[in-house]
Amino acid sequence: MAGHASPEKTPSQRRGILITVAVLVLFMLAVLAGFINKLNQPRVISDSELRLNGAIKLERPRILENFELLSDTGDVFQTRDLAGRWTLVFFGFTHCPDICPTTMATLNNFYRGLDEKTRIDTDILLVSVDPKRDTPEKLGDYVRYFHQDFRGITGDFLQLKRFANQLNVPFNKVPLENGDYTLDHGSQVVLINPRGHYHGFFKAPLDPAKMKLTYGSMRATFNG
């Protein structure tokens, strides 16, 4: 028995099939775009996971009192200059033999590992606690040895103490037997949010991969 030929689709039926296929393709593209976008989003982790990875986020960011220091360009640097960007702050000095160069090198690795969008509004700031020896010019040369985008500030010793105390970073001048001196200082890296508030800190020893994870999470949960 001979088979029956399928009836030819009418123009309206063909148009309906094309519309259905187009809708399915658009749906699949939307799902794929959403999946790719999710992959590119920072992973949000809990406060306990932050601590396990060496980062502490303050329950309530701390508003900083005004201070006036000196940038490595010779310009005045004040509290308001911290607003508008994320800033990682480390207290140290250029004569430091070990902790400071190691930390600055680690910050360089961390900074270079950030994606361009994140890096563009992230500052790395070295606060010198040795204003007697660290002139703005010397400080500028030191920080830019590690990365050309890094910045440094210093200033009056009492103003430095005031700033450091607000961020819970201790430092003290230690006389040496030969008449010279060195400085003991905290090794944590402080995080300032775009409001210019103390947001949290990264504990030593620093690990660039863990810092990238925790920094991305804290940025993602920030309600600016």
Side-chain angles (χ1 to χ4, degrees), residues 70-75 93-95 126 128 130-148 150-155:
L70 191 65
S71 76
D72 58 45
T73 60
D75 298 319
F93 60 112
T94 64
H95 284 75
L126 172 65
S128 171
D130 188 9
K132 182 178 179 180
R133 294 182 294 197
D134 287 345
T135 63
E137 181 180 7
K138 184 172 185 179
L139 186 57
D141 290 340
Y142 182 81
V143 295
R144 276 176 273 285
Y145 168 80
F146 294 96
H147 196 285
Q148 62 182 3
F150 288 5
R151 299 184 299 157
I153 60 173
T154 186

Side-chain angles (χ1 to χ4, degrees), residues 166-201:
Q166 292 186 74
L167 301 177
N168 298 327
V169 179
F171 73 88
N172 290 289
K173 191 173 182 179
V174 180
L176 300 176
E177 292 182 358
N178 61 4
D180 202 354
Y181 68 91
T182 188
L183 291 123
D184 285 342
H185 58 88
S187 57
Q188 69 267 45
V189 171
V190 174
L191 181 63
I192 307 293
N193 67 36
R195 290 179 181 170
H197 300 167
Y198 175 22
H199 196 81
F201 63 93

Side-chain angles (χ1 to χ4, degrees), residues 63-92:
I63 298 173
L64 301 177
E65 296 178 7
N66 191 46
F67 60 86
E68 189 170 297
L69 295 169
L70 191 65
S71 76
D72 58 45
T73 60
D75 298 319
V76 173
F77 189 96
Q78 298 183 18
T79 310
R80 63 173 176 262
D81 295 315
L82 292 169
R85 300 168 63 77
W86 289 90
T87 307
L88 282 78
V89 182
F90 175 65
F91 286 76

Side-chain angles (χ1 to χ4, degrees), residues 94-127:
T94 64
H95 284 75
C96 179
D98 39 37
I99 294 176
C100 297
T102 300
T103 300
M104 294 300 291
T106 301
L107 288 172
N108 175 48
N109 290 335
F110 158 78
Y111 187 72
R112 290 181 182 277
L114 298 175
D115 62 84
E116 186 176 355
K117 183 180 178 181
T118 303
R119 193 186 314 124
I120 203 168
D121 72 341
T122 299
D123 283 337
I124 306 294
L125 185 66
L126 172 65
V127 181

Side-chain angles (χ1 to χ4, degrees), residues 11 28 33 51 153 218:
M28 292 173 65
R51 288 191 292 272
I153 60 173
M218 286 191 278

